[in-house]
Amino acid sequence: DIMAGLGKYAGPGGWNDPCLLLSSCSSQLGDCPGGRRVTELQTRAQFSMWAVLAAPLLISGSVVHMSQADLETYSNKEVISVNQDPLGKQGIRVFGGELTKGASNVWGKPLSDGSVAMVFINTGDAAVDVTCDPQCFSSLGFGSQDRLDAGDLWAPWRDLDPISNLRFTAEALAPHGGHLMLRIRKA
């Protein structure tokens, strides 16, 4: 939550650092040193958020004990490209309340090619729909007449239906880290 107000201080030459990335570990490889801290879903949600925040991608877990799902998370080239985008902007919260209080959020990050990376996330105790409405989209620079194309960055650029009327809902995001990460472009 503290990162929501620090975007103005981030950019090439200086990045805000919310801390290390926590990885789950593979119980198939024996005991997890220190015990399991997060689920694979939470690992992917955190990695998505760090990418949008342009935060350093430093993994705190052992790559030897890392699950295959975590290795796939940390090697997703599309998500890494969001983090490493040369525009160097940190994403902003465009919808939602404090994540530490179990809220849902939408975060957006402008990218150098004119597109925007977005993360829809749920930290609450129940599955929820999370919507970015016209006010949410306008805070990211989109106008009321824009038709938008969207791709899911965790499903090898799975194209979604075009977004019209500046309204998109990420449906039934799982509790405790359910998320959707998109790249949005003007059509």
Side-chain angles (χ1 to χ4, degrees):
D1 285 319
I2 195 169
M3 298 302 289
L6 297 178
K8 61 187 171 194
Y9 303 110
W15 308 104
N16 293 315
D17 185 359
C19 203
L20 298 172
L21 290 161
L22 300 176
S23 63
S24 63
C25 61
S26 175
S27 58
Q28 298 167 343
L29 297 175
D31 291 332
C32 300
R36 181 178 289 265
R37 297 177 285 185
V38 294
T39 66
E40 290 171 347
L41 175 69
Q42 291 166 333
T43 296
R44 187 163 283 185
Q46 185 187 31
F47 195 67
S48 299
M49 286 297 299
W50 265 227
V52 166
L53 293 170
L57 301 177
L58 302 172
I59 303 168
S60 68
S62 166
V63 293
V64 173
H65 293 96
M66 199 172 288
S67 69
Q68 183 62 35
D70 284 357
L71 288 171
E72 290 170 8
T73 292
Y74 294 141
S75 59
N76 182 310
K77 292 178 183 178
E78 289 288 332
V79 176
I80 293 168
S81 74
V82 168
N83 177 269
Q84 302 292 308
D85 186 76
L87 187 60
K89 295 276 189 180
Q90 177 176 311
I92 59 169
R93 179 172 24 211
V94 293
F95 168 80
E98 291 186 41
L99 288 170
T100 57
K101 295 185 177 176
S104 55
N105 274 203
V106 178
W107 289 70
K109 176 184 178 174
L111 301 172
S112 59
D113 66 359
S115 65
V116 173
M118 297 179 75
V119 174
F120 296 71
I121 188 166
N122 174 25
T123 62
D125 293 331
V128 296
D129 292 348
V130 180
T131 298
C132 186
D133 62 14
Q135 181 179 355
C136 173
F137 276 109
S138 69
S139 68
L140 296 170
F142 296 112
S144 61
Q145 300 303 311
D146 289 336
R147 185 174 167 268
L148 307 174
D149 289 330
D152 181 345
L153 297 183
W154 287 112
W157 189 257
R158 178 177 59 95
D159 289 327
L160 304 175
D161 290 337
I163 298 170
S164 57
N165 302 321
L166 294 188
R167 179 173 296 279
F168 179 85
T169 300
E171 297 178 346
L173 294 181
H176 307 291
H179 61 283
L180 177 66
M181 187 173 190
L182 304 176
R183 185 183 297 249
I184 308 289
R185 296 183 172 109
K186 290 183 182 178

